[in-house]
Amino acid sequence: MLGNFRYSNPTKLYFGKDSLDNLKGELSAYGANILLVYGGGSIKKNGLYEDILRILSDCGKNVAEVSGVMPNPTVEKLYEGCKAAKEHQTDLILAVGGGSVCDYAKAVSVSAYCEEDPWEKYYLRMEDVDNRIIPVGCILTMVGTGSEMNGGAVITNHESKLKIGHVFGDNVFPKFSVLNPVYTFTLPKYQMTAGFYDIMSHILEQYFSGTDDNTSDYIAEGLLKSLIHSTRIAVKDPENYEARSNIMWIATWALNTLIAQGKSTDWMVHMIGQAVGAYTDATHGMTLSAVSMAYYRYICPYGLDKFRRFAVNVWEVNPEGKTAEAVAEEGLIRMESYMRDLGLVMNLSELGVTQEMLPGISEATFFMNGGYKALTREEVLKILQESI
Ligand code: NZQ
Ligand code: ZN
């Protein structure tokens, strides 16, 4: 394990079919004013909204709502939430939804009492929080981002065509999250599989880096194997509780900071995907799947040993009598075929990206240098051209 690190994760998780039963107990730790935050209405269709309102009412809570949190929440929506949170003198923000709603709740929690423009402070200047933070609790309905147990809060600014994630410290992590796999059964297939690939991408972003023998990589391989196994089942049988519950648990561990410990991390697929998202507002996981194969084929020669190991340990490629390059490529072929089987978006055109947009998307890409190859802007453009 490289370097020195401190590891803590303050989010309490309640997992399983009966996990919502614990909400009452959690609510007793907070004051009366709850800001209920949710998306475009899926929770009203599946009955979760009514269940939660009943619990809040039984607990004597005074509830205000911010609804209509869109996928890829915008900065304008953030300002609306800040106003509502302050006016309601919110004691707890209760987020019910997917990554967008959970991210949004965290963004509001640090921004409501921020005296400057939160977009400029947290997203453009990447400063830490130095004001009051409103606690957040999550009830998760879509699996993928890991937002239920991390400090990530991604906000999109359509005017400046930027989609930026701030990873806040553990003082901003949700205080608790309720994870009931059954809630994810009503997800449309497109959202479900996008979430599956988001999980895979989170693991790979932390796996493809470093040359040391590192326990985090072995954990990542285990998570990947379980993910591939369960997603293959879930895509054919979406109400398979065993598969969906495994996937929900993998998603949380894929991005709750555990497997990033003691190593550098890559994150360039996410940086390129976020720039694509800023231009198209496309579903997050699909922006990642569309650029992944071109990206990994491009960096493979720079991290050949790891790509060979990935092929053998994750995709079960037999390495006997083959060069490292051949083994690595066989692994990538298996990965691509798995992605096609899931029905993921495999090129940018399908997301509405045009040739003319590519220079702008490469300009909007942020650079991270923890992977096997520190890319130049020209290389990002090349990867985008390969992906269209
Ligand atoms: O708005 P509603 O009506 O609820 O519909 C949502 C939304 O349209 C729907 N949905 C969610 N749960 C459902 C459901 N529909 C039926 N039944 C259910 N049970 O799914 C759609 C997508 O939801 P969204 O929350 O946008 O998806 P996801 O969880 O993928 O979140 C995406 C956001 O998270 C950010 C992304 O950039 C994007 O903004 N990320 C956050 C990260 C973090 N916190 O660490 C890391 C990720 O890499 C990612 O960047
Ligand atoms: Zn992601």
Side-chain angles (χ1 to χ4, degrees):
M1 304 300 285
L2 297 179
N4 303 298
F5 59 83
R6 178 184 74 96
Y7 180 72
S8 71
N9 193 316
T11 305
K12 195 191 297 177
L13 299 179
Y14 294 103
F15 193 95
K17 286 181 182 163
D18 301 328
S19 49
L20 192 63
D21 294 351
N22 299 287
L23 181 59
K24 233 179 197 168
E26 281 299 325
L27 289 173
S28 66
Y30 302 93
N33 296 337
I34 308 292
L35 186 68
L36 183 65
V37 172
Y38 56 95
S42 70
I43 65 163
K44 289 198 172 161
K45 281 193 207 127
N46 61 22
L48 186 54
Y49 174 77
E50 277 178 22
D51 291 347
I52 291 168
L53 275 195
R54 197 175 316 113
I55 295 169
L56 288 167
S57 156
D58 287 352
C59 295
K61 299 295 186 186
N62 169 25
V63 182
E65 296 188 10
V66 174
S67 62
V69 177
M70 62 291 282
N72 311 316
T74 63
V75 67
E76 292 79 17
K77 191 72 186 173
L78 171 62
Y79 299 144
E80 179 196 324
C82 292
K83 192 163 169 278
K86 261 172 98 167
E87 277 174 9
H88 191 54
Q89 297 180 16
T90 303
D91 296 306
L92 175 76
I93 302 175
L94 189 60
V96 188
S100 293
V101 172
C102 298
D103 276 23
Y104 176 78
K106 284 180 262 179
V108 170
S109 84
V110 295
S111 301
Y113 293 98
C114 176
E115 283 175 6
E116 301 160 71
D117 178 349
W119 170 255
E120 288 184 11
K121 181 179 169 72
Y122 299 129
Y123 294 92
L124 296 182
R125 299 202 304 273
M126 280 292 162
E127 287 174 14
D128 285 335
V129 194
D130 49 17
N131 49 258
R132 186 178 150 199
I133 301 169
I134 305 172
V136 170
C138 295
I139 297 164
L140 195 66
T141 65
M142 147 117 196
V143 164
T145 64
S147 189
E148 66 275 13
M149 203 185 193
N150 71 33
V154 183
I155 295 294
T156 299
N157 186 326
H158 287 298
E159 202 186 307
S160 55
K161 286 201 164 44
L162 289 172
K163 181 178 183 185
I164 304 179
H166 189 128
V167 181
F168 292 97
D170 60 11
N171 51 345
V172 183
F173 283 34
K175 300 293 174 215
F176 63 89
S177 287
V178 172
L179 310 184
N180 182 344
V182 175
Y183 296 157
T184 68
F185 286 0
T186 53
L187 270 168
K189 188 178 176 211
Y190 189 85
Q191 298 298 340
M192 175 183 81
T193 53
F196 292 172
Y197 189 71
D198 193 22
I199 305 170
M200 177 167 280
S201 181
H202 293 157
I203 304 172
L204 298 182
E205 300 275 29
Q206 299 164 93
Y207 180 73
F208 283 123
S209 54
T211 51
D212 58 317
D213 183 41
N214 190 309
T215 298
S216 291
D217 290 334
Y218 294 82
I219 302 173
E221 286 168 354
L223 292 173
L224 284 167
K225 290 191 81 160
S226 179
L227 179 71
I228 294 161
H229 176 74
S230 289
T231 50
R232 277 185 170 139
I233 297 168
V235 78
K236 292 201 185 88
D237 180 14
E239 299 209 359
N240 185 309
Y241 182 85
E242 189 173 50
R244 295 302 287 272
S245 62
N246 285 331
I247 296 165
M248 191 170 223
W249 194 228
I250 298 161
T252 302
W253 287 93
L255 196 53
N256 69 358
T257 79
L258 176 82
I259 64 167
Q261 300 304 327
K263 61 177 308 205
S264 65
T265 52
D266 184 346
W267 292 109
M268 277 313 293
V269 168
H270 269 70
M271 293 304 105
I272 301 171
Q274 278 178 201
V276 170
Y279 270 71
T280 60
D281 209 27
T283 297
H284 171 65
M286 298 307 190
T287 66
L288 309 174
S289 59
V291 300
S292 280
M293 290 320 299
Y295 176 75
Y296 286 123
R297 288 213 159 89
Y298 189 78
I299 64 158
C300 178
Y302 303 93
L304 186 59
D305 287 350
K306 191 59 144 305
F307 277 89
R308 182 188 179 281
R309 171 174 164 177
F310 175 60
V312 174
N313 290 0
V314 177
W315 297 102
E316 296 169 4
V317 174
N318 178 358
E320 265 172 56
K322 296 174 196 157
T323 62
E325 286 83 358
V327 176
E329 177 55 21
E330 220 177 305
L332 290 176
I333 290 169
R334 288 192 191 188
M335 174 171 159
E336 186 169 355
S337 142
Y338 159 84
M339 291 169 75
R340 289 190 191 281
D341 287 350
L342 284 194
L344 298 171
V345 173
M346 299 300 284
N347 64 69
L348 288 170
S349 314
E350 232 182 281
L351 301 176
V353 175
T354 59
Q355 282 287 352
E356 295 69 50
M357 288 180 190
L358 298 185
I361 294 174
S362 89
E363 279 300 316
T365 300
F366 290 82
F367 286 84
M368 312 280 262
N369 293 326
Y372 286 122
K373 169 86 175 75
L375 295 184
T376 63
R377 211 167 280 289
E378 289 68 39
E379 288 173 311
V380 168
L381 188 56
K382 205 169 150 199
I383 289 162
L384 288 166
Q385 279 158 349
E386 289 287 318
S387 307
I388 203 156

